[in-house]
Amino acid sequence: EIDAEVQMQVLSAIPGIKEDDAKALIAKFGSLRAIAIAEESDLAKVRGIGGKKAKAVAQAFNASLLESQPSTNAKSSKTSSVR
């Protein structure tokens, strides 16, 4: 499990997310993993977060998830050139 201080640092690194926001998100969801997979609308319901911050959190986690997955572009371009 990720240390609480590290979780705070990760969330606080997201533009627009302050320490109090990070605390509120962790209190509500319990972990970075839960925050990462939460719906944007559920993030927005957390006190002090709202739509704009929820979108920033969702985008930050979506971007990091996309970067950690292998690209499928090479695969799709190979199959399309076979036709």
Side-chain angles (χ1 to χ4, degrees):
E1 183 165 315
I2 298 174
D3 177 82
E5 183 63 30
V6 173
Q7 291 184 57
M8 292 287 295
Q9 291 174 354
V10 168
L11 291 171
S12 296
I14 298 170
I17 303 300
K18 300 192 180 335
E19 187 175 330
D20 288 344
D21 301 325
K23 285 180 184 177
L25 287 165
I26 293 169
K28 172 68 176 172
F29 292 98
S31 70
L32 287 178
R33 176 172 289 197
I35 294 167
I37 63 173
E39 295 291 329
E40 193 175 311
S41 59
D42 292 329
L43 295 170
K45 293 175 188 173
V46 175
R47 188 175 67 84
I49 300 301
K52 187 174 182 181
K53 291 180 184 179
K55 184 175 187 124
V57 171
Q59 286 179 337
F61 280 106
N62 286 336
S64 66
L65 290 174
L66 290 175
E67 289 172 5
S68 68
Q69 295 179 356
S71 174
T72 58
N73 290 342
K75 188 178 191 181
S76 64
S77 64
K78 286 180 184 176
T79 57
S80 62
S81 63
V82 173
R83 292 183 188 176

